[in-house]
Amino acid sequence: LTLATSAEALQGCDVILDEIHTYSDISRAIVLKIIEVLHHFGCRLHIGTATMPGILYDKILEVLGKDQVHEVKLPPEVLDTFDRHIIHKTSDWVATHGILEKAVQEDQKILIVSNRVADAQIRFQELKDSFPSIPIMLIHSRYKRNDRKNLENQITEVFNQSTQACIVVSTQVVEVSLDISFDLMITDAAPLDALIQRFGRINRKRTPETIGKYKPIYVLAPPEEEKEAKPYDLETIQRSYECLEDVKVFHEKEVQEKMDKVFTTID
């Protein structure tokens, strides 16, 4: 299609931009330019995410014109009913071995999230050796598309439905799209927006029976070296980790405040 034809096809359309993330300066710039161009074409934009820093939020309002934007937010008293996690800050992977053994004995569904594929592969093999009698699977972005799709189906249809102990070892691929509700998470420290998306895979189902009940998330301390923090920025990971309170309920109504402490500038 020519640019003119594409513009004509887009004119006046409704466009949904879901799960706007801010993992890098480049992705932020791309998102802002997409919004600017679609707005220029007269599109009606529907932008949603649980993890948008205020500084990006304000920039989007500036591009669109605040008087043309309808904002939808839950009031604090409703957000209180969405609290579902207790955060535990943990020194390193080795320190979680006892936690894993107890969780397996209690027939919990466990989700392990690594920032890097190599770490996920190592942990997967360790867990297979430690717990040979329970189902354990590995999923990451380097699988072929069909294989990864099959693994995602296995997570949602088999592991997610299990009433016995099971473990999924993953990378960032579980942060979005998967509708799963596990019992316990151990995750590498990451930028706060990524962590919040990961948290959403634990105790996900919100019913009258689950409101007010919390499940544990163990966040490993950040690395000390910049190269060990890849693919993320070490300083961002450190700020994110610092804003988490140890052995405390993670309050949904405080997400925006924490996000704005972590993400303070935009280029």
Side-chain angles (χ1 to χ4, degrees), residues 114-214:
S114 303
N115 292 342
R116 298 193 289 186
V117 172
D119 291 335
Q121 292 170 328
I122 291 170
R123 290 166 180 174
F124 171 70
Q125 191 58 55
E126 286 180 7
L127 292 167
K128 282 189 66 177
D129 295 340
S130 299
F131 305 105
S133 62
I134 71 167
I136 303 176
M137 70 167 289
L138 172 67
I139 182 170
H140 53 70
S141 60
R142 294 183 190 170
Y143 283 100
K144 293 180 180 178
R145 180 170 297 186
N146 286 341
D147 293 338
R148 180 170 153 187
K149 183 62 178 176
N150 290 334
L151 289 170
E152 290 177 348
N153 290 338
Q154 189 177 350
I155 294 175
T156 56
E157 296 171 10
V158 180
F159 283 72
N160 189 50
Q161 306 298 329
S162 177
T163 58
Q164 298 180 323
C166 60
I167 302 175
V168 171
V169 181
S170 176
T171 56
Q172 300 90 329
V173 297
V174 297
E175 289 178 9
V176 295
S177 301
L178 288 182
D179 185 14
I180 58 175
S181 185
F182 277 44
D183 300 309
L184 180 148
M185 173 182 287
I186 297 172
T187 176
D188 283 337
L192 184 61
D193 49 359
L195 287 176
I196 292 171
Q197 295 293 338
R198 295 177 192 186
F199 294 173
R201 312 305 133 187
I202 303 298
N203 199 16
R204 183 174 180 83
K205 301 302 181 183
R206 182 174 175 272
T207 67
E209 291 73 30
T210 61
I211 291 175
K213 296 183 180 178
Y214 311 108

Side-chain angles (χ1 to χ4, degrees), residues 2-260:
T2 65
L3 179 60
T5 304
S6 301
E8 184 178 350
L10 282 170
Q11 192 76 34
C13 287
D14 286 86
V15 180
I16 298 172
L17 301 177
D18 193 21
E19 301 294 0
I20 298 282
H21 291 321
T22 56
Y23 297 164
S24 71
D25 291 337
I26 293 174
S27 65
R28 281 197 295 269
I30 291 171
V31 167
L32 285 169
K33 183 54 68 173
I34 288 172
I35 291 171
E36 182 180 335
V37 171
L38 292 175
H39 180 59
H40 175 75
F41 287 155
C43 297
R44 292 177 296 274
L45 300 176
H46 309 268
I47 302 171
T49 179
T51 54
M52 190 188 299
I55 193 166
L56 178 60
Y57 195 99
D58 292 340
K59 184 68 175 176
I60 292 174
L61 288 180
E62 179 184 324
V63 171
L64 297 177
K66 187 169 184 178
D67 59 339
Q68 300 185 59
V69 175
H70 176 64
E71 302 173 66
V72 180
K73 297 180 180 180
L74 292 176
E77 60 271 17
V78 176
L79 282 174
D80 284 340
T81 68
F82 282 81
D83 292 346
R84 50 196 164 152
H85 306 124
I86 294 181
I87 306 300
H88 302 262
K89 299 167 83 168
T90 307
S91 58
D92 53 34
W93 169 247
V94 174
T96 67
H97 290 182
I99 295 165
L100 285 166
E101 290 178 5
K102 184 174 184 294
V104 168
Q105 292 170 3
E106 295 175 351
D107 279 329
Q108 295 189 41
K109 295 178 291 186
I110 303 162
L111 181 59
I112 314 291
V113 186
S114 303
N115 292 342
R116 298 193 289 186
V117 172
D119 291 335
Q121 292 170 328
I122 291 170
R123 290 166 180 174
F124 171 70
Q125 191 58 55
E126 286 180 7
L127 292 167
K128 282 189 66 177
D129 295 340
S130 299
F131 305 105
S133 62
I134 71 167
I136 303 176
M137 70 167 289
L138 172 67
I139 182 170
H140 53 70
S141 60
R142 294 183 190 170
Y143 283 100
K144 293 180 180 178
R145 180 170 297 186
N146 286 341
D147 293 338
R148 180 170 153 187
K149 183 62 178 176
N150 290 334
L151 289 170
E152 290 177 348
N153 290 338
Q154 189 177 350
I155 294 175
T156 56
E157 296 171 10
V158 180
F159 283 72
N160 189 50
Q161 306 298 329
S162 177
T163 58
Q164 298 180 323
C166 60
I167 302 175
V168 171
V169 181
S170 176
T171 56
Q172 300 90 329
V173 297
V174 297
E175 289 178 9
V176 295
S177 301
L178 288 182
D179 185 14
I180 58 175
S181 185
F182 277 44
D183 300 309
L184 180 148
M185 173 182 287
I186 297 172
T187 176
D188 283 337
L192 184 61
D193 49 359
L195 287 176
I196 292 171
Q197 295 293 338
R198 295 177 192 186
F199 294 173
R201 312 305 133 187
I202 303 298
N203 199 16
R204 183 174 180 83
K205 301 302 181 183
R206 182 174 175 272
T207 67
E209 291 73 30
T210 61
I211 291 175
K213 296 183 180 178
Y214 311 108
K215 294 195 175 180
I217 292 174
Y218 296 86
V219 183
L220 307 184
E224 296 183 358
E225 300 293 332
E226 185 73 48
K227 64 180 181 180
E228 295 175 355
K230 300 299 181 183
Y232 302 118
D233 170 66
L234 178 57
E235 186 177 345
T236 302
I237 295 178
Q238 291 170 335
R239 288 201 303 268
S240 300
Y241 190 74
E242 288 169 3
C243 81
L244 298 175
E245 297 179 272
D246 191 21
V247 199
K248 297 284 187 180
V249 173
F250 186 81
H251 295 294
E252 294 294 325
K253 67 183 179 184
E254 297 175 359
V255 166
Q256 193 63 60
E257 177 185 351
K258 293 181 185 298
M259 288 289 295
D260 292 344

